[in-house]
Amino acid sequence: MNYDFSEEAEKLFEAIRSIAATAPAEEDLAGATVDTISAALREMLKTLAGAGYLQDGLAGDASESAVNQMAAMETLAGQARSLFLAVEMSTRVLGRALARWGTGATQEQWREGLLQGQWIGALALSEEAMNVQNDPLATVGSRKDGRVVVSGGKHYVINAPLADKIGVVGLLDDRPAIFMLDAGTEGLSISEPVPTMGYDGIRMADVTLDACVLPEENVLLPPEGTPVLDLLRQWENEVLMAAALGMMQAAFAEARDFAKSHRSGGKPVIAYQEVGFKLSEMLTLYQTAQLLAYRAVWTLKDQPKEGAALIWCAKVFATEAAERVAGDALRILAGQGYRAGSASESAYRAAKWTQIGGISTEIARVRIGDQALGYAPGR
Amino acid sequence: MDFSFSREQVMFKKEVIRFAKKEIVPRVQEHDLNGEFDFQSFRKMGDFGILGLHFPEELGGGGADVVTTVLAGEALGEAGVDGGLTLAYGAHSFLCADTIFRHGTDAQRQHYIPKLASGEWIGCMGLSEPDAGSDVASMSTTATRQGDTYVLNGTKMWITNGPIADVAVVYAKTDPDQQHAGISAFIIDKGTPGFSAGPPLLKMGVRTSKTSELVLNNCVIPAENLLGNEGEGFLMAMQTVEWDRSALLAPFVGSTTYLVKKCADYAKGRVQFGKPIGHYQAIKRKLADMRIFGEAARALVYRIAWCKDQGRPLNHLEAAVAKLFIGDWSLPVTNDAVTLHGGYGYTHEFDVERIFRDTRLAPIGGGTSEVQKMIISRLM
Ligand SMILES: Cc1cc2nc3c(=O)[nH]c(=O)nc-3n(C[C@H](O)[C@H](O)[C@H](O)COP(=O)(O)OP(=O)(O)OC[C@H]3O[C@@H](n4cnc5c(N)ncnc54)[C@H](O)[C@@H]3O)c2cc1C
Ligand SMILES: Cc1cc2nc3c(=O)[nH]c(=O)nc-3n(C[C@H](O)[C@H](O)[C@H](O)COP(=O)(O)OP(=O)(O)OC[C@H]3O[C@@H](n4cnc5c(N)ncnc54)[C@H](O)[C@@H]3O)c2cc1C
């Protein structure tokens, strides 16, 4: 047992902090063009690759490194909310799929491009029934003359308007596959960016594939029996857990600093129990969520089943805690917090998404319950 | 970071669960209903090595580290041991015996620890008073030095094991003009003239632990019964907080694992509207929330234990976070367990009702949730 981070890990966090400090502010990204966001994201990807951040913890490394990675992700998420999510969808989700299941030169090239931060990637998974819990995937590829033709429609794909490479999840030979498409592929169309309640600096869009043709080596086919959709959701969950931790860290710090310096009735407002006690609850939720998230990713390495259940637990707890912490921060910050641009206000809006994305908190609870009951998932 | 336990620790936890299920749990409900302390189980815990687990072997202990000691507490909860017995164990082993072990003289250690470790003697700790609970520094019990003796006067309140204890660690003011700095700690033996316990209080939960007043009426004790030096009592009491936030909280964590299993078994067997209620998502949600709470609480408790094993001074903020979380968040979970059992859950036939009552102490005992928030907001 050891509850300390190694010196090496602390160095990584410090490096991430300095990189994140150079990121454009969330409110500056809100109204920015796709090109501006794309440039900021590319810059961030390149510097993060240099710091070793993008490659870590992807290929089933040691448990300790998974915890370090989670803490590094939290650090980035706390300071650069939207760019963090964009980076992670490109690398920790799509890049990780390639690192895990990639074979052959093309897939190697994709993996290197994404994990070295040269390309922006997007993962298109969600369809009409976006949680992919209840209905089979409708995006299907078929083989034709050594090539694959794929059609389908995907919703709400982060990075789609800026991506160089899009991994589209569908079925080939009745098995889950990821169709690797270049942005300019014929038949691939990307909608206008979809406006969202939070995450002002991401750009996401719907993606349509109308008989897109790709070489067979551009199909990522995980080994038969791999729970591909569950794993993709799990990786997304890890990202959203880190996002939630980052939000709590930022909202808590903003509210605490304010409460210590802002005076009312002749004393700093933290001296009032209504404020000080709220901050105590916020910090308790944050620290508890943090330890749970660390333990969840740590457990995954040697006990995948137990680890997966802990990820559901941590996802639910951290993302619900994030909304509460951000909401309480807003009450403490009062008028100052309600202004657009405060860390807590943007965290409050973004927190909602962390509960919906990956496996929704509803479905996660059902799965945790099923496991306790010894029922097959989704009964 | 590394969240693993050693193989020995894992095996030991399993052994404790096995022991507790066989030797203690079968009588838990009966003792709870009758409000009786289970002397037999307590002695068995001593024989098994739990009561003195962390004391050195030469004093009759098991020489275990703190993490292992906390694991034993979790195991008791996981086996289904009630909160009354685990509270009695905590007050005995940590609040009383450990204070003597840490601050007593060699002679006091030799005299008390082996008998406390075996369970031959039962210990208690008296800090709270009728008018000084959260604000413990305002206590009014006094200890006045007279030659080679101290004379103690005052009343202690809510003392776990009070009516059955052979030995008590009691806090009193040697300098009533001071707050914290005026408090000192003393060992008082059962039978000392002027020292008595009130009748057991009737309680909502933790009913198998005996709780009472301790009355000190011109109670004369030898001066060597002072632990450490005058004025060090408050610091000593604070040192027990490490145990309070790890070993005493661990049974709540274990008890959640027990609850999940109990509730899942019930939900699989109970049929309504033609199917087991476990098929309904609303029931799964309750099970999920129980598990989430237990998993979230676990690392908080072991973080404190691990830091103590490293010899680090207690991080009061982390300790208060653990206490606040487990205190406040354990209640909805045990409440859900009762609801999940429907009308049966409201009866003594099912132990979820007792667990609900026992857990109600979590945000009160050892410092209320409000006190934890005061600590956190001061330290943040
Ligand atoms: C900001 C944002 C970014 C996104 N980024 C991406 C991306 O990059 N790539 C991508 O592929 N997708 C992305 N998505 C889609 C996202 O993954 C889905 O929105 C999410 O999975 C939820 O699916 P849904 O919206 O269809 O809700 P539904 O699945 O229709 O769910 C509706 C409600 O019903 C509940 N529910 C559904 N089924 C069950 C069940 N079996 N039991 C209990 N409750 C149930 C849900 O929890 C929810 O409360 C993004 C969405 C947003 C908002
Ligand atoms: C079953 C049981 C076993 C116990 N065992 C022991 C034992 O072995 N030894 C021992 O010494 N003590 C023991 N106690 C006492 C326990 O530690 C106290 O009950 C606890 O510290 C609270 O003190 P109190 O009951 O006097 O409540 P009070 O301090 O009177 O508090 C009443 C309420 O006011 C709140 N409050 C108080 N001050 C503030 C403030 N400044 N701001 C906001 N809210 C405030 C409290 O949080 C609480 O909600 C035990 C208690 C119980 C119930």
Side-chain angles (χ1 to χ4, degrees):
Chain A
M1 193 170 270
N2 186 349
Y3 277 79
D4 286 340
F5 283 110
S6 65
E7 246 177 68
E8 196 192 340
E10 297 284 1
K11 274 193 204 140
L12 172 67
F13 308 152
E14 197 41 56
I16 301 304
R17 260 191 289 278
S18 354
I19 293 170
T22 65
E26 201 66 14
E27 63 262 37
D28 293 339
L29 293 176
T33 61
V34 166
D35 285 346
T36 307
I37 290 183
S38 171
L41 179 55
R42 283 174 203 282
E43 184 59 32
M44 164 94 28
L45 282 165
K46 245 184 281 157
T47 22
L48 287 173
Y53 173 92
L54 300 184
Q55 298 85 354
D56 262 9
L58 293 180
D61 306 13
S63 301
E64 187 180 349
S65 125
V67 178
N68 295 347
Q69 187 61 40
M70 178 55 58
M73 286 159 71
E74 173 194 339
T75 307
L76 183 63
Q79 289 175 255
R81 179 160 306 130
S82 292
L83 288 179
F84 163 77
L85 195 57
V87 163
E88 296 297 324
M89 292 309 289
S90 181
T91 57
R92 202 88 43 207
V93 183
L94 182 59
R96 192 173 185 172
L98 285 150
R100 277 288 167 94
W101 303 315
T103 52
T106 311
Q107 300 188 6
E108 166 98 347
Q109 203 189 359
W110 267 57
R111 190 192 70 198
E112 282 306 291
L114 289 171
L115 298 183
Q116 295 302 330
Q118 291 152 9
W119 291 332
I120 296 176
L123 182 88
L125 170 61
S126 305
E127 302 188 344
E128 196 54 42
M130 288 191 282
N131 246 308
V132 293
Q133 165 80 7
N134 309 316
D135 303 300
L137 289 172
T139 300
V140 179
S142 53
R143 296 181 193 270
K144 199 172 170 195
D145 306 331
R147 304 180 80 80
V148 171
V149 184
V150 55
S151 294
K154 297 285 180 181
H155 285 304
Y156 298 170
V157 181
I158 292 178
N159 291 347
L162 0 146
D164 306 293
K165 309 280 174 188
I166 303 186
V168 178
V169 185
L171 297 177
L172 181 68
D173 308 332
D174 289 331
R175 277 166 67 177
I178 302 179
F179 303 104
M180 296 159 35
L181 295 172
D182 285 306
T185 304
E186 204 175 321
L188 175 71
S189 51
I190 314 261
S191 73
E192 281 298 304
V194 178
T196 52
M197 167 183 174
Y199 274 113
D200 304 333
I202 56 159
R203 291 297 172 264
M204 78 179 188
D206 295 340
V207 172
T208 311
L209 295 87
D210 182 10
C212 292
V213 179
L214 63 157
E216 279 186 341
E217 66 259 29
N218 277 29
V219 181
L220 189 58
L221 257 185
E224 192 117 37
T226 309
V228 178
L229 303 185
D230 280 350
L231 279 172
L232 291 171
R233 287 301 190 206
Q234 180 180 301
W235 299 341
E236 223 181 310
N237 284 341
E238 289 174 31
V239 171
L240 296 173
M241 275 152 54
L245 295 179
M247 278 170 213
M248 285 191 263
Q249 179 229 306
F252 169 74
E254 186 179 44
R256 178 202 54 201
D257 294 349
F258 174 85
K260 283 185 174 179
S261 58
H262 180 76
R263 297 174 79 83
S264 171
K267 47 186 177 180
V269 293
I270 195 171
Y272 297 106
Q273 290 189 346
E274 275 294 317
V275 173
F277 282 19
K278 235 183 223 86
L279 283 163
S280 304
E281 288 166 12
M282 290 157 66
L283 184 61
T284 297
L285 286 174
Y286 169 44
Q287 287 202 353
T288 306
Q290 198 179 37
L291 281 182
L292 177 56
Y294 294 167
R295 200 161 70 81
V297 292
W298 185 89
T299 306
L300 264 180
K301 170 78 171 81
D302 294 324
Q303 298 157 263
K305 201 168 161 220
E306 172 76 1
L310 282 182
I311 295 275
W312 297 330
C313 291
K315 154 78 169 39
V316 172
F317 187 79
T319 60
E320 291 182 351
E323 182 181 344
R324 177 154 163 210
V325 167
D328 281 354
L330 282 180
R331 294 203 231 161
I332 292 167
L333 292 156
Q336 188 137 327
Y338 200 71
R339 281 185 337 188
S342 88
S344 306
E345 172 271 338
S346 108
Y348 187 65
R349 289 183 289 112
K352 211 69 227 164
W353 156 240
T354 62
Q355 297 160 10
I356 300 166
I359 280 191
S360 70
T361 51
E362 287 76 18
I363 294 175
R365 276 199 173 86
V366 172
R367 296 229 174 152
I368 300 166
D370 280 335
Q371 202 188 51
L373 289 154
Y375 290 170
R379 183 181 182 120
Chain B
M1 277 201 180
D2 175 355
F3 297 97
S4 62
F5 297 104
S6 70
R7 251 174 70 86
E8 292 73 27
Q9 286 170 330
V10 173
M11 304 243 298
F12 178 68
K13 183 182 171 198
K14 283 188 183 150
E15 279 172 37
V16 175
I17 292 177
R18 238 191 326 267
F19 155 76
K21 278 188 174 164
K22 181 162 175 266
E23 303 290 349
I24 304 178
V25 174
R27 290 186 308 279
V28 156
Q29 282 299 87
E30 179 195 331
H31 282 286
D32 172 69
L33 284 182
N34 299 332
E36 290 163 351
F37 180 71
D38 184 354
F39 285 97
Q40 190 191 335
S41 291
F42 197 74
R43 263 322 273 274
K44 282 188 174 165
M45 283 166 72
D47 294 344
F48 189 84
I50 293 174
L51 298 181
L53 198 54
H54 72 288
F55 296 122
E57 287 171 21
E58 57 274 22
L59 290 174
D65 59 12
V66 183
V67 169
T68 307
T69 307
V70 171
L71 266 173
E74 185 185 344
L76 292 174
E78 194 167 327
V81 175
D82 69 295
L85 191 60
T86 55
L87 175 66
Y89 152 57
H92 165 92
S93 292
F94 306 115
L95 307 186
C96 174
D98 190 70
T99 306
I100 296 175
F101 172 69
R102 272 201 202 211
H103 307 289
T105 60
D106 273 347
Q108 285 165 335
R109 288 182 185 175
Q110 298 288 349
H111 181 66
Y112 290 103
I113 300 300
K115 290 204 166 62
L116 289 169
S118 69
E120 185 182 339
W121 285 352
I122 295 175
C124 73
M125 183 281 286
L127 179 66
S128 308
E129 297 186 357
D131 295 322
S134 302
D135 179 19
V136 78
S138 71
M139 68 171 59
S140 58
T141 298
T142 55
T144 313
R145 178 89 192 217
Q146 285 187 359
D148 288 343
T149 63
Y150 281 97
V151 182
L152 280 80
N153 279 292
T155 304
K156 294 290 164 183
M157 188 61 177
W158 314 113
I159 308 310
T160 302
N161 298 342
I164 53 172
D166 300 280
V167 52
V169 168
V170 170
Y171 294 87
K173 284 218 172 137
T174 38
D175 183 351
D177 296 333
Q178 302 244 32
Q179 286 283 92
H180 303 91
I183 298 174
S184 306
F186 300 90
I187 303 175
I188 307 184
D189 296 312
K190 181 180 174 177
T192 305
F195 176 56
S196 60
L201 300 166
L202 286 177
K203 306 191 300 294
M204 166 186 184
V206 292
R207 285 167 48 85
T208 70
S209 68
K210 291 288 177 190
T211 318
S212 72
E213 283 184 339
L214 292 181
V215 181
L216 299 140
N217 183 7
N218 286 322
C219 170
V220 181
I221 55 169
E224 66 254 28
N225 284 21
L226 170 72
L227 282 165
N229 297 307
E230 282 191 10
E232 290 177 356
F234 188 76
L235 283 178
M236 291 178 192
M238 286 304 102
Q239 281 170 357
T240 64
V241 167
E242 288 168 289
W243 289 111
D244 220 283
R245 307 299 183 252
S246 54
L248 270 98
L249 290 180
F252 291 106
V253 176
S255 166
T256 311
T257 311
Y258 176 79
L259 268 187
V260 171
K261 169 115 193 25
K262 270 257 138 162
C263 290
D265 287 347
Y266 184 79
K268 282 193 280 193
R270 174 73 179 167
V271 174
Q272 287 294 289
F273 298 98
K275 30 182 179 171
I277 59 169
H279 286 217
Y280 301 114
Q281 289 192 346
I283 298 294
K284 293 180 190 181
R285 164 174 273 265
K286 287 185 175 46
L287 290 167
D289 285 341
M290 281 173 213
R291 168 117 199 244
I292 293 168
F293 162 75
E295 298 296 354
R298 184 162 284 125
L300 292 173
V301 165
Y302 287 106
R303 174 167 68 174
I304 293 164
W306 179 79
C307 286
K308 189 165 162 61
D309 274 332
Q310 305 311 302
R312 295 187 190 167
L314 177 69
N315 181 325
H316 284 280
L317 191 142
E318 289 177 358
V321 160
K323 175 69 170 62
L324 176 60
F325 181 74
I326 294 175
D328 278 5
W329 285 66
S330 57
L331 299 185
V333 160
T334 52
N335 193 23
D336 273 355
V338 174
T339 310
L340 185 145
H341 281 72
Y344 294 105
Y346 200 70
T347 68
H348 291 314
E349 209 177 311
F350 287 81
D351 57 3
V352 289
E353 166 279 336
R354 175 188 50 70
I355 295 171
F356 171 73
R357 288 186 284 107
D358 286 352
T359 305
R360 195 61 194 79
L361 181 64
I364 301 173
T368 64
S369 291
E370 287 71 26
V371 168
Q372 307 315 313
K373 289 179 198 178
M374 281 161 63
I375 295 169
I376 299 169
S377 62
R378 262 186 222 139
L379 294 178
M380 71 177 48

